[in-house]
Amino acid sequence: MTVSHEITVAAPPDRVYALLADAAGWPALFPPTVHAVATPLSDGEERLQLWATANGAVKSWTSLRTLDPVARRITFRQEVSAPPVASMGGEWHVEEAADGHSRVVLTHTYRAIDDDPSGLAWIAEAVERNSVAELAALEAGALADPGIDFTFSDSVEFAGSARDAHAFTWDAQHWPARLPHVVGVELSEEPAGVQRLRMETLAKDGSSHTTESIRVGLPGLRIVYKQTRPPALLSVHTGRWTFEERDGLVTATSQHRVVLRPSAVVPVLGEGRTVEDARTFVREALGANSLATLRHVAGVTA
């Protein structure tokens, strides 16, 4: 089966192509993408390992991509697919349109395992839903103010075990009893090191916020996550926890990447508040929770 989707974006083609070429940035751009790892190969090729939602399920697969920045064309082929997909390939193509705008065409060609009709229907639904969402997100990302997208991190160093610190962070079902800013947690485990986490936290002003995340455990004592239900002020929130041990000292780091929702600044923070105020507010709020967690990790596992 072959299907194409397209959109015209009021942004320069090179800008649009750059967003597509930066696969590591896809979790902050595309709603279905939870995490992406790009490994360069040769001659414009790279291998991608992707975790993404498809029809509500979390799927993981690896793909080979060939990037042609001159033609603004990216071809891809899944190397290891996830059932019910037997094979999947396609391309992104960015063409210059009128007024310096961009015409983006996304094509998929796929087969289901054993050409099963129910599998084909499942894939068709996932491709349709994700393609529409990705093209809309691509347009929004190409037109967005760069100042609403930023990254920051906090670290704590202590004597202890990196493995124990990782276990404390991964076993989030115990957080309400361990962390003062966490009121409640619902945690479910899925295959291949995937968790779904629903968490209620308290802010400094006493208000509570409920977020939902997908978390992925990676080799090297790393945990990455993407909030599928971020706070109202954010359109995107991704992050990672890392734990490195050297000479008996552990460095535990919490990194965040967020994309602000400008339309929510005044409703959330009040009249007269700006995007810059929102950047400060988010940095302080998320940083405070991260440091609280890291300090408890240090205290419990040291």
Side-chain angles (χ1 to χ4, degrees), residues 18 40 51 65 98 109 113 176 182-183 198 236-237 239 253 274 291 293:
W51 289 261
R65 295 205 311 170
T109 299
I113 295 173
V182 178
V183 178
R198 186 176 188 274
V236 177
H237 179 196
T253 301
T274 66
L291 281 172
T293 301

Side-chain angles (χ1 to χ4, degrees), residues 16-279:
V16 175
Y17 177 84
L19 291 172
L20 295 173
D22 179 25
W26 284 4
L29 179 66
F30 292 144
T33 306
V34 176
H35 186 59
V37 179
T39 304
L41 299 175
S42 60
D43 299 325
E45 287 194 344
E46 64 182 12
R47 176 173 286 111
L48 295 185
Q49 186 169 8
L50 291 164
W51 289 261
T53 57
N55 294 342
V58 181
K59 298 289 185 177
S60 177
W61 66 90
T62 60
S63 293
L64 291 177
R65 295 205 311 170
T66 301
L67 291 85
D68 183 347
V70 176
R72 301 190 197 92
R73 188 186 304 271
I74 302 172
T75 59
F76 58 88
R77 173 178 58 83
Q78 288 188 2
E79 216 178 13
V80 179
S81 300
V85 179
S87 64
M88 175 79 74
E91 71 171 28
W92 293 90
H93 189 203
V94 183
E95 303 173 337
E96 186 167 358
D99 301 321
H101 295 175
S102 304
R103 176 175 176 262
V104 185
V105 181
L106 171 59
T107 302
H108 289 88
T109 299
Y110 59 85
R111 287 188 58 196
I113 295 173
D114 298 327
D115 295 324
D116 177 62
S118 62
L120 283 170
W122 190 95
I123 298 169
E125 181 181 352
V127 167
E128 177 68 21
R129 176 181 289 113
N130 285 9
S131 296
V132 170
E134 288 172 352
L135 288 172
L138 179 64
E139 179 179 34
L143 299 176
D145 176 356
I148 67 172
D149 183 340
F150 60 104
T151 301
F152 58 91
S153 63
D154 297 286
S155 297
V156 170
E157 186 177 79
F158 57 94
S161 162
R163 191 167 298 278
D164 290 346
H166 172 273
F168 180 103
T169 310
W170 183 251
D171 296 334
Q173 69 271 24
H174 303 304
W175 282 3
R178 293 173 169 176
L179 301 174
H181 64 280
V182 178
V183 178
V185 162
E186 296 177 14
L187 183 72
S188 61
E189 300 270 358
E190 298 189 8
V194 173
Q195 293 180 335
R196 291 183 185 267
L197 174 66
R198 186 176 188 274
M199 181 169 62
E200 183 180 359
T201 59
L202 289 177
K204 286 184 178 180
D205 62 5
S207 61
S208 64
H209 305 272
T210 299
T211 58
E212 295 177 4
S213 304
I214 295 172
R215 307 205 305 171
V216 180
L218 300 176
L221 302 180
R222 294 174 297 153
I223 301 168
V224 297
Y225 64 88
K226 180 173 184 176
Q227 288 189 343
T228 54
R229 181 185 172 186
L233 196 54
L234 305 180
S235 62
V236 177
H237 179 196
T238 68
R240 69 175 64 223
W241 301 90
T242 59
F243 307 92
E244 300 177 342
E245 184 175 341
R246 179 177 295 179
D247 299 328
L249 287 178
V250 176
T251 302
T253 301
S254 171
Q255 182 186 80
H256 302 268
R257 181 174 181 179
V258 300
V259 179
L260 298 174
R261 193 187 307 274
S263 62
V265 172
V266 170
V268 173
L269 300 183
E271 290 293 336
R273 304 301 290 273
T274 66
V275 166
E276 190 59 36
D277 293 326
R279 285 174 62 99

